[in-house]
């Protein structure tokens, strides 16, 4: 009886070794297999759209475009190798202006990089959307919410692009 109790205690002591923490994101599950729609762009730490316009009419036009189906969408395609993933990115900016390029992310250190081309159609939000993708340095999120952090050229502020999953 005493022998069995010792064995059980020994097995229980080994249990933490088998259930160790994994501090690496599943980058394929976060990025791929879904369409991401921009919610808003804010200064890191903020929770509302940053004023890129300084003009209420231009802002309203941008927000109207943002709220349409099929605009400000991105789709990531790629194959994960260990903690990293890279592949193609495609999407739609405004109206019928497409974007395409390449991207990579690392689940261990949350680094993110993208190189995209697209047309902003002269819209300030579209311009900042493309700039944000091209200057993104890291990501946060899960399979329902994605945050890309970027620093615009010649800026001291870090911005956060906030995305949500949309149905295709």
């Amino acid at each position: 009886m005493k022998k069995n109790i010792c064995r059980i205690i020994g097995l229980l002591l080994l249990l933490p070794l088998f259930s160790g923490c994994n501090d690496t994101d599943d980058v394929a599950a976060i990025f791929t297999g879904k369409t991401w729609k921009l919610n808003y762009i804010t200064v890191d730490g903020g929770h509302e759209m940053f004023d890129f316009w300084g003009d209420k009419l231009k802002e309203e036009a941008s927000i109207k475009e943002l709220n349409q189906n099929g605009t400000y969408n991105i789709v990531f395609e790629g194959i994960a190798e260990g903690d990293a993933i890279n592949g193609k990115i495609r999407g739609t900016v405004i109206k019928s202006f497409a974007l395409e390029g390449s991207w990579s992310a690392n689940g261990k250190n949350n680094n993110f990089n993208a190189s995209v081309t697209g047309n902003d159609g002269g819209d300030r939000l579209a311009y900042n959307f493309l700039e944000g993708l091209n200057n993104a340095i890291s990501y946060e999120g899960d399979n329902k919410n994605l945050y890309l952090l970027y620093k615009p050229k010649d800026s001291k502020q870090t911005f956060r692009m906030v995305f949500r999953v949309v149905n295709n």
Side-chain angles (χ1 to χ4, degrees):
M1 177 79 170
K2 199 173 193 179
K3 229 183 211 185
N4 286 338
I5 292 175
C6 287
R7 285 182 186 165
I8 291 172
I9 291 174
L11 288 173
L12 289 174
L13 291 174
L14 288 175
L15 197 57
L17 291 175
F18 298 117
S19 63
C21 293
N22 181 356
D23 60 353
T24 300
D25 287 343
D26 184 349
V27 286
I30 291 172
F31 288 97
T32 63
K34 58 190 75 72
T35 300
W36 292 102
K37 168 105 174 152
L38 180 70
N39 261 359
Y40 58 91
I41 302 174
T42 187
V43 174
D44 193 25
H47 299 289
E48 56 188 44
M49 182 68 82
F50 183 80
D51 183 7
F52 294 108
W53 307 271
D55 178 317
K56 204 66 171 157
L57 290 176
K58 289 181 181 179
E59 178 181 359
E60 288 173 1
S62 289
I63 299 302
K64 183 177 178 184
E65 186 74 29
L66 173 65
N67 290 331
Q68 290 184 29
N69 289 334
T71 61
Y72 294 94
N73 289 338
I74 53 176
V75 174
F76 297 97
E77 298 168 345
I79 298 173
E81 292 184 25
D83 296 333
I85 187 170
N86 62 56
K88 301 281 183 196
I89 182 175
R90 61 183 167 79
T92 305
V93 185
I94 58 174
K95 298 176 184 127
S96 58
F97 294 140
L99 71 85
E100 63 182 11
S102 59
W103 71 285
S104 64
N106 186 304
K108 188 82 169 164
N109 59 18
N110 294 79
N111 284 347
F112 180 89
N113 183 296
S115 176
V116 301
T117 57
N119 190 331
D120 62 29
D123 183 271
R124 291 293 301 159
L125 181 58
Y127 172 84
N128 285 281
F129 176 64
L130 291 168
E131 181 182 46
L133 290 172
N134 282 313
N135 290 297
I137 54 172
S138 65
Y139 77 91
E140 296 173 359
D142 54 31
N143 62 352
K144 293 186 176 145
N145 300 290
L146 177 63
Y147 310 96
L148 296 179
L149 286 82
Y150 75 98
K151 209 174 244 193
K153 294 175 184 168
D154 303 324
S155 177
K156 294 182 182 185
Q157 292 181 307
T158 299
F159 285 83
R160 179 178 291 258
M161 298 172 62
V162 179
F163 294 88
R164 63 181 162 79
V165 174
V166 293
N167 296 331
N168 292 331

